[in-house]
Amino acid sequence: MSLFRKFFGANNPPSEAEKDKEFSKYTPDANAPLDEQFIYNFKKNGGKFLYCENETEVKDHFENILEENDWFESEALCYEPEIFNMLEENKITYHKPKNPSFLLANCENLIADEGSILFSSKQIKQHKPNELPANIIVLAKTSQIIETKSDGLSGIKNKYVRDYPTNITTIKYFEKVEEEDFTQYGSSAKNLYLLLLEDL
């Protein structure tokens, strides 16, 4: 990949073969740490990943995303009171939005083996992925990275002893593919930013 393409992006999107060639140089082996596996698979799926060492960096990256997309003073979908302040600080309406620009949410887990994000009704209520805004900003911590989806389901079972969430789902595809493939049937691609906070 040329230096200019790295800095400014390509006018023509790279072909699947070019993407595979580029990623194959950095493919983690089966014994790689879970965080490396997750980041590799997440980026391969088209996700945008921003590493944060502390809460200040989380807020800075969040504001940069808002600026990049011109989302200041817009509407957002958000169901978690503990992160309402991030929206309020940037004059973003989240109470019964009519036309939300994005979803701001935490997640249950980050699934390393497929680079997906596990949500439940705690974050997205009863919405199906295709009912959510096309743009999503996810707040997560490195301690939430797990190996497989079944590990995530076990974790949810242990975490919520009484108030067990419903609508447990993953979002895996973060860019529209040119040719639909049967593995993506019924899924809707999302423009997804992940703000990953180091907590280990």
Side-chain angles (χ1 to χ4, degrees), residues 22 39 167 186:
E22 182 69 22
I39 292 163
N167 193 27

Side-chain angles (χ1 to χ4, degrees), residues 169-181:
T169 189
T170 58
I171 295 179
K172 180 178 177 181
Y173 301 106
F174 312 115
E175 63 184 1
K176 188 79 176 149
V177 291
E178 287 175 25
E179 275 185 49
E180 290 294 328
D181 121 15

